[in-house]
Structure formats: C-alpha cells, structure tokens
Amino acid sequence: MARRTTNAAGSTNELRGDVLRVLGVLKVATADQIQRLASPHLSYRHSLKASPAKQKEARTASHRGAANDLRRHGLAVDGGRTRGGEEVRLLTAAGLAAAAIDLDREPEEMGGMPKSAGRSGAAHPMTVNETVIALIRPKPDLDLLDGEPPQALAAARAAADAPDGLGTLTSYATEVALPVKGTWKNPALGSARADIVVTAPGSRVPLLFIEADNCTEDAHLIAAKFEKYARFFQREEKDADGIEKPLWATRWNAPEATLSDHAHPPVLLVFNQVGKRPAKSQMAKVAQLTRPHWKGEKYGDHHSYYGRIPIVATTLDLLLEHGMAGPAFWRFGRDHREPLLDAIGNPRLDAARIRTAQEQRRREARQSAEREAQRPVCKDCGDKFTDARWAAANDRGWGRATHPDLCETCDTRTRQAERQADDAEREHQEQERQRQEQERLDQETAAQRPTGWFGRRRS
C-alpha cells in the first residue's frame, strides 16, 4: 500500500483549517484546547474509555494528526510541553499568514506571538487560552452525538442549554499591540499589549480588553499596565471621514450607548491561582493602585465614569464555573460580585435614566390629559376638535377659522350652505335688478309715445 506523503496523518482540510484558525487566534495551544474550541462535541465522545487520559487521547487524536500534517507542510512547529506534560503547538510565519487568510484578517490584525511561547511550560499562554474558552463556552452539536451513552448525552445537552458565552473564536485576538505612539504595525516603546481583545458587535459587550495573570507578577507591575491603557485610550487620530476620534474607535466599533457614561472600553483582569500571590489580595492591591483610572464622580444617587476605565476582576476558577452570565466579576469600587454585563455597566445610572424616562412619560401623560380636558367640541355635532382644527380656531391671523366653534366637517358643511345661500341671494338680486331694469325700460317706452288726437289717430 502506498504511503501518504501529502498528509501522512490522514487529516482532512477541515481539521487542518480548525488547527490553523485556533492557533491563528491563540498563537500557542494544546491539542485539547484546539479540540474544545473547534469540535466541542468530541468532548462527550469516548466516555467509555478506561481512564480520562485515554478519553483525552481519543478525542484529540484527529486534531493532533492535523497539527502533525501542518508541521510537515512547514505551517506549524512543536512548541515544547506545558507543566502538565501536554505538547503545545504554534504556527510558523507561513502558518500565521495562512491563518490570517482563513480568519479573513489583515496581517497586522493577527497580533504578536507570546513572549514565553514554547518555553517554561507556556503557563501564561495556557491561562490566556483557558480564559478564551471559559468566555466563549463552546456548545456541542447534539446531532453529532447520536449513539453516545446517556450520561454523555445528558452532559452535552446541559452544555448546549447553558447560557451563551461571549462571541465566537473569530471574536478574539491575542497579543494585540495598543500603541500610545507609532502605528498599529509599529507601536512605539511604552505601548501596551493586550493579552486578549474581544470584539463582538452583536452582543452587549461589543469590545473588551483582557489581561491574564498567574498570580506571579507584582501588583505594581500589573497596575503600571493601566497607565499605558489610559494613554492609549486617550490618544486621538483623524479617521477616514476626517473626524478626530479615539484611536481605538478607528479600529474597533463600540457604540456609544454601550459605554457607560462615556467611559473608556472596559478591561477585565483574570487571575489564575498558579503563583504564590493570593488572587484575592492581588485584586485588592491592583484596585488600590489603579484608583485614579477607575474612580467615578458622585452625582446624586449614581456615579459618572466619564473618561475612566471600567476595571473588572475575576479568577479563572470563577469564570470556568459561572461564565459571563454568573456572579463571577468584581468591578473595582464595588463590594460584590455580579455578571459581566452588570459589572462593566453603570446600573445606578441606568436606573436613574429609567426613572427620569418614566417621570417624563408620566409628566407627558398628565399634560396630555390636561390638554384633552381643554380640547373644544363642535357646537353642532359635539365631536372633539383635531389638533389642526384647534390651532386654526385659536389663530387670529390669516389662518384663522371661519367658524371657530365648529369642527372641520361642520365648518365645511356650513360654508357650503352659506355659499349656496349667497348664490341664491345673488341670483335673486340679479333677477330683481333685471325686473326693475325692465320696468324702467317699459316706463321710458311708454313715456315716449305721442299723446292727444294726433297720437291716437296714428295709432
């Protein structure tokens, strides 16, 4: 039998495309992470294997083979192993270019490679990847699980019925430069680099920047990133339409209505308890150090965050447990956890706006009722005046109504009757005039006739 030379592992175009797209977004990933993102239904197969390790080997086999074939094509390379011993894969420059085509992205939109990719167990990239998976929460296709054991089907159905995550794989980009100076392609020194940027225009979180930390960095180093974020958010540049706007808004779309009180786009901090620094104390320290960037101004019963950065924190464990819809997120400045939408928003301001809108509607209804009570009625038919008729009835200029106490219909009928009466009167007067004229002519004719004997004889 002839040996396959093109794709020795026997992978399909679809599987190789899966690996390209996932690595194009994540830059470095394990076969397990690639499979969970690209083919989540496989997570519920092979449940009858003897051990979790054998189950993972079976469900990831297809994507491992696809990654091996990409390596033979010069599009991927082996990137070492994680601290848990799993092999990681990453793309070559040619692979990144191929992934850009598959993802329909410009090369500068692909982001850079993680600094620790393939070294030291790739701990930070692994946390970034797990954050992406926890936010997306890929749903399995139940049609692809026919014949699986009841327990596996029940678990898959529970995942499919769970609340939706945030966006899809193509909503995410990693290692994205945020230039405080320079260009997107060549950012100046001192620019920020976001671990993850989420763009999901169809959702209520259209733009989200994410920083992941393994509880190994000093809180001051994490806080220093927000100085760079602030400089980046404040940078303005003319867009293609010639209008100056924030630089970030020339690349990403976040409708003004989704940003709380003209705040900057939100930043999410995800702490993974790998290092020795407790995640909870890290959050508290970073919150204190970044206070000037997130603290709002008190206005009545709510705060304004104009020009501030909504900073939200969570742990990877909470994110995996709850997703974006559960109480996993702590907004700096608040004392409780809440769902992501509430955390990045300004619920007190929203409530104040709702109360204002409700009061406005009540005021308008009251004014409308008072106005209706004053609306005139037609003295003939009793119908209420329309707004136009009411205005005409009150007009004292050229647009004033002929009969201000009548509705339009009765006014039209009355004016028609008046015209008919006027026409009849004019006709009567004309007939009277003609009769009088005829009488005058008759009298003149009679006066001109001869009188006496001669006149009688001639006649």
Side-chain angles (χ1 to χ4, degrees), residues 154-180:
R157 190 170 291 107
D161 293 340
D164 290 338
L166 178 59
T168 63
L169 177 66
T170 55
S171 304
Y172 290 72
T174 57
E175 296 296 317
V176 180
L178 310 177
V180 297

Side-chain angles (χ1 to χ4, degrees), residues 255-270:
E256 197 172 273
T258 65
L259 298 181
S260 175
D261 200 24
H262 299 279
H264 294 310
V267 180
L268 170 63
L269 283 169
V270 179

Side-chain angles (χ1 to χ4, degrees), residues 366-435:
R366 186 168 58 251
Q367 291 171 347
S368 178
E370 292 172 354
R371 177 178 169 81
E372 283 302 309
Q374 299 171 3
R375 186 180 294 276
V377 296
C378 177
K379 74 171 187 178
D380 279 3
C381 68
D383 286 350
K384 288 186 176 182
F385 280 22
T386 63
D387 287 344
R389 184 59 181 175
W390 193 357
N394 290 330
D395 193 347
R396 295 296 179 264
W398 290 102
R400 63 181 180 273
T402 310
H403 301 92
D405 54 354
L406 299 179
C407 68
E408 291 172 331
T409 302
C410 292
D411 178 51
T412 300
R413 185 171 59 250
T414 300
R415 285 188 286 110
Q416 287 176 346
E418 289 175 344
R419 282 196 297 270
Q420 290 171 356
D422 289 343
D423 291 343
E425 178 62 24
R426 281 193 295 271
E427 184 177 356
H428 172 72
Q429 290 177 357
E430 178 64 20
Q431 290 174 353
E432 182 63 21
R433 187 192 64 78
Q434 290 177 358
R435 185 188 64 76

